[in-house]
Amino acid sequence: MKKNSPSGANALVIKDLNTRLVRQALKNARVSTVRDLAGMTGLSTVTVAGIVQALVAGGAAREGELVPSNGGRPSRLYRFDEQQASVLVLFTREIEGRDTACLRVADLYGQIVASENHPLEAGSLEAFEPFIDRMLVRFPSISALGFGLPGIEYGGTIVALDYHKLVGAPIIDHFQSRYGIPVVFENDVNAAVLGRGRQEGAATSEAYLYFPRKYPPGSGIRIEGRLLKGSRHFAGEVGFLPLGIAWGDPNLTESIEASSSAAAQVIVSLAAVLDPESVVLFGEFLTPTHLAEIRIRCRSLMPEESLPQISLTEDFTQDFQDGLVGLTLELLDL
Amino acid sequence: MKKNSPSGANALVIKDLNTRLVRQALKNARVSTVRDLAGMTGLSTVTVAGIVQALVAGGAAREGELVPSNGGRPSRLYRFDEQQASVLVLFTREIEGRDTACLRVADLYGQIVASENHPLEAGSLEAFEPFIDRMLVRFPSISALGFGLPGIEYGGTIVALDYHKLVGAPIIDHFQSRYGIPVVFENDVNAAVLGRGRQEGAATSEAYLYFPRKYPPGSGIRIEGRLLKGSRHFAGEVGFLPLGIAWGDPNLTESIEASSSAAAQVIVSLAAVLDPESVVLFGEFLTPTHLAEIRIRCRSLMPEESLPQISLTEDFTQDFQDGLVGLTLELLDL
């Protein structure tokens, strides 16, 4: 045994690795047999059978019915239990002119199993608590919490936020202490660019540009699946590009020429620094006519072969929500 | 054995992992005993002794003298052989107004063991061959080749280069086929920012900005130790930022105000997109007076707490060479 057993990278690590492998394979397959899981993972059926028993005992998988196998004894089906744990995400939107807290509970496949919207006075962290408390009672399986707010968190504290009263609030610690579960914070554009990255055929690198009517634009940047957050979580604050553009001026969004020129300058700036495969734009005022104009103006500023794909997205909230759910699920290590 | 031996993550992988661990520990220590290597790696002395024997047999380590150990039998010293393999890097510089090919041979610690400069007519890939051929005869241990040229390689081919005749040349394939060793290409600013990253206390993220007198600036970007190259290796081409600056105009570099303003706008653009911890500047005309002026102008464009550290570097060639040697050593997987 001395020679064949791993001494440095030890047996416990291997066992943990194999458990993850089997759990992931069962999660992907949703329903499977020990034999099929062995085929997918390259592990022996003896090893897989032991791991599956442990997953069932721990609640991660459920036993299903027996199915015929080729000539041999019938095989037991095992089913991944996607509701063994869930996550709660909370983000804010303006709905009919009112600040609104949007709560979503998602299972381990990221499917939304509950959804609530509540008018919000975001004057303190405590303002969020009644909504969260009620969801935790409804869904005791909630095991992680994700906040999506339009601002910047650094070192666990909100350092910039559209709801000024929350600047300086220790959001991560506050909710981790209160609920005893892991908490993540991400802003809207960063979560949205991650959400786009979870789609089939996503670009390997992408910038998500959000143009509000009344404020400077912001961007979220994803490179090889990971957010580029910057050394003080300030990356993507493209409103500070020294382009001399009067962001927030109503004349800007009212003119197709002016707004397209402004957007093109931001896109070319992102392309010159990052060379992303894709840039996605969102702004309530943006239309396909703007997009065509933006593309023309970009080509006048940079060789076409160095420009990213440029497109409009229609559902910012969906991208934002998908990204936030994904980030919060990552906390679970399942 | 069935239960204790790793079946999924198999024994060969573990053995390879342990070999790397021991080799790396011996490389870091330069000289060590089996007992000390076991302490450093967490492996058993039996495992380490076997690996060290294999390293000696393969030429990666040499046996040294016996040293007394605490009361027990004397222990054998083993020495990492940093000259078991070496790398050749070739980069170009203008020296006394002439294009010059600089060749350096480095050992596994990155120390330069040979250095040659030759006037160069960079009209074809073949123009480099006589210099390389001679170095390979002098140092048969050369096991990888690194090119540092002021341009962009994509998919193994030069797609942009100051030596226009080489644009379109399949540089990687050409030299890999000719010499049968791995080849890497990197441009000057990208290699330089990697070189800075190898220094003690390096910033976790950094942009290296090079301002030539006659051309637009270029930058190399390092984030958490890795180059940001972009989807078409075009990242950092900050000359395309739509800032309306007349790059290459002699009036620009002659005026401290004009050149400092231009540099500040590029730095703030990098900060707004990337939020790097540090931005390092190089330009033959840049002085501490420029640096002070640049800092003032940056603070007028962006909140000070969001600005990176800004500094001048004096030895661009050294940074460039260090980075290129590091990149070429990575090809060896030693």
Side-chain angles (χ1 to χ4, degrees):
Chain A
M1 201 193 115
K2 201 91 188 171
K3 279 206 172 133
N4 287 309
S5 76
S7 50
N10 70 50
L12 274 177
V13 172
I14 306 266
K15 195 175 168 190
D16 188 49
L17 217 67
N18 290 347
T19 300
R20 282 163 190 270
L21 218 56
V22 172
R23 189 164 47 193
Q24 195 58 47
L26 182 57
K27 184 177 172 189
N28 293 344
R30 292 180 182 247
V31 180
S32 190
T33 62
V34 165
R35 175 189 294 264
D36 287 348
L37 289 169
M40 289 181 248
T41 57
L43 299 170
S44 72
T45 52
V46 175
T47 301
V48 171
I51 291 172
V52 166
Q53 282 316 314
L55 291 179
V56 169
R62 280 172 292 140
E63 287 195 349
E65 61 275 27
L66 287 167
V67 289
S69 73
N70 283 344
R73 286 187 305 167
S75 306
R76 175 75 62 192
L77 281 177
Y78 294 91
R79 191 176 303 272
F80 182 74
D81 186 356
E82 72 272 21
Q83 300 194 349
Q84 66 186 285
S86 61
V87 298
L88 171 60
V89 301
L90 189 162
F91 57 96
T92 56
R93 279 182 61 195
E94 204 180 283
I95 298 181
E96 292 166 8
R98 296 189 67 174
D99 280 337
T100 304
C102 304
L103 289 92
R104 307 285 181 268
V105 177
D107 68 21
L108 294 182
Y109 285 126
Q111 291 163 321
I112 304 300
V113 296
S115 178
E116 292 183 5
N117 293 336
H118 299 283
L120 173 79
E121 289 289 341
S124 67
L125 293 179
E126 285 75 13
F128 297 108
E129 293 174 359
F131 314 136
I132 298 170
D133 291 355
R134 278 204 301 273
M135 275 298 200
L136 287 167
V137 171
R138 272 184 71 190
F139 295 91
S141 68
I142 291 172
S143 310
L145 191 52
F147 285 89
L149 304 177
I152 300 176
E153 166 271 339
Y154 185 67
T157 296
I158 292 172
V159 294
L161 195 69
D162 289 0
Y163 314 118
H164 300 295
K165 287 184 179 166
L166 291 180
V167 171
I171 187 163
I172 304 287
D173 269 3
H174 178 89
F175 290 108
Q176 277 184 179
S177 304
R178 181 171 168 92
Y179 296 114
I181 56 179
V183 174
V184 68
F185 175 102
E186 198 46 81
N187 70 33
D188 47 4
V189 277
N190 280 353
V193 81
L194 282 179
R196 290 260 310 179
R198 293 167 64 87
Q199 292 174 9
E200 195 94 2
T204 56
S205 58
E206 187 164 59
Y208 203 116
L209 252 175
Y210 177 30
F211 293 95
R213 273 183 204 279
K214 297 181 187 165
Y215 303 97
S219 70
I221 299 159
R222 188 186 74 244
I223 296 171
E224 288 168 20
R226 295 182 58 197
L227 270 187
L228 175 72
K229 297 194 61 154
S231 68
R232 281 140 308 192
H233 293 189
F234 188 79
E237 294 291 332
V238 291
F240 285 103
L241 285 167
L243 300 170
I245 297 168
W247 300 115
D249 181 337
N251 294 323
L252 190 67
T253 46
E254 276 166 21
S255 155
I256 292 186
E257 289 70 26
S259 59
S260 299
S261 166
Q265 288 179 66
V266 175
I267 294 168
V268 166
S269 299
L270 288 168
V273 176
L274 298 169
D275 182 21
E277 191 181 330
S278 154
V279 173
V280 175
L281 313 179
F282 179 75
E284 285 177 355
F285 62 90
L286 290 174
T287 65
T289 309
H290 288 82
L291 182 61
E293 184 70 23
I294 288 168
R295 287 184 173 140
I296 290 168
R297 286 169 184 269
C298 283
R299 287 197 291 269
S300 74
L301 294 169
M302 184 179 264
E304 187 164 6
E305 66 272 19
S306 301
L307 283 170
Q309 298 161 26
I310 307 169
S311 57
L312 299 180
T313 180
E314 279 170 20
D315 201 340
F316 179 66
T317 305
Q318 187 67 46
D319 293 333
F320 177 13
Q321 176 181 307
D322 289 350
L324 193 57
V325 166
L327 264 179
T328 312
L329 282 170
E330 280 176 19
L331 295 178
L332 293 187
D333 193 28
L334 283 179
Chain B
M1 199 192 116
K2 202 91 189 171
K3 275 200 176 135
N4 287 308
S5 75
S7 50
N10 71 50
L12 275 175
V13 172
I14 307 265
K15 195 175 168 190
D16 188 49
L17 216 67
N18 290 347
T19 300
R20 283 163 190 269
L21 217 57
V22 172
R23 187 165 47 193
Q24 195 58 47
L26 181 58
K27 183 178 172 188
N28 293 343
R30 292 179 180 249
V31 180
S32 190
T33 62
V34 165
R35 176 188 294 266
D36 287 347
L37 288 169
M40 288 181 247
T41 57
L43 298 171
S44 71
T45 52
V46 175
T47 301
V48 171
I51 291 172
V52 166
Q53 282 317 314
L55 291 179
V56 170
R62 278 172 291 139
E63 287 195 350
E65 60 274 28
L66 287 169
V67 289
S69 73
N70 283 343
R73 284 187 305 167
S75 304
R76 175 75 62 193
L77 281 177
Y78 294 91
R79 193 175 301 274
F80 182 74
D81 185 356
E82 73 272 21
Q83 299 193 349
Q84 66 187 283
S86 61
V87 297
L88 171 61
V89 301
L90 188 160
F91 57 97
T92 56
R93 278 182 62 194
E94 204 180 284
I95 298 180
E96 293 166 8
R98 294 189 68 174
D99 280 338
T100 305
C102 304
L103 289 94
R104 306 285 181 267
V105 177
D107 68 20
L108 294 181
Y109 285 126
Q111 291 163 322
I112 305 299
V113 295
S115 179
E116 292 183 5
N117 293 337
H118 299 282
L120 173 77
E121 289 289 342
S124 66
L125 294 179
E126 285 75 13
F128 298 108
E129 292 175 358
F131 314 136
I132 299 170
D133 292 354
R134 278 204 300 275
M135 276 297 200
L136 286 167
V137 171
R138 270 184 72 190
F139 294 91
S141 68
I142 291 172
S143 310
L145 190 52
F147 286 89
L149 304 178
I152 300 175
E153 167 271 338
Y154 185 66
T157 296
I158 292 174
V159 294
L161 195 71
D162 289 1
Y163 313 118
H164 300 293
K165 287 187 182 164
L166 291 181
V167 171
I171 186 164
I172 304 287
D173 269 2
H174 178 89
F175 289 108
Q176 277 184 180
S177 304
R178 182 173 168 90
Y179 297 114
I181 57 178
V183 174
V184 67
F185 175 102
E186 198 46 84
N187 70 34
D188 46 3
V189 276
N190 280 353
V193 81
L194 282 179
R196 291 260 309 178
R198 294 166 64 88
Q199 294 173 8
E200 195 94 2
T204 56
S205 58
E206 189 164 58
Y208 204 115
L209 252 174
Y210 176 32
F211 292 96
R213 273 182 204 278
K214 296 182 188 165
Y215 303 97
S219 69
I221 299 159
R222 187 185 74 245
I223 296 172
E224 288 169 18
R226 294 182 57 198
L227 269 188
L228 175 71
K229 296 194 62 154
S231 66
R232 281 140 307 192
H233 293 189
F234 189 79
E237 293 292 330
V238 292
F240 283 104
L241 286 166
L243 299 170
I245 297 167
W247 299 117
D249 180 339
N251 294 322
L252 190 67
T253 47
E254 276 164 21
S255 155
I256 291 186
E257 289 71 26
S259 60
S260 299
S261 167
Q265 288 179 67
V266 175
I267 293 168
V268 166
S269 298
L270 288 167
V273 176
L274 298 169
D275 181 22
E277 190 181 331
S278 154
V279 173
V280 176
L281 312 180
F282 179 76
E284 284 176 358
F285 62 91
L286 290 174
T287 65
T289 309
H290 288 82
L291 182 61
E293 183 70 23
I294 288 168
R295 287 183 173 141
I296 290 168
R297 286 170 184 269
C298 284
R299 287 197 291 270
S300 75
L301 293 169
M302 186 180 262
E304 187 164 7
E305 65 271 20
S306 301
L307 283 170
Q309 299 161 27
I310 306 169
S311 57
L312 298 181
T313 181
E314 280 171 19
D315 201 341
F316 179 66
T317 305
Q318 187 68 47
D319 294 333
F320 177 16
Q321 176 181 306
D322 289 349
L324 192 57
V325 166
L327 265 179
T328 312
L329 282 170
E330 280 176 20
L331 294 179
L332 293 187
D333 193 30
L334 283 178

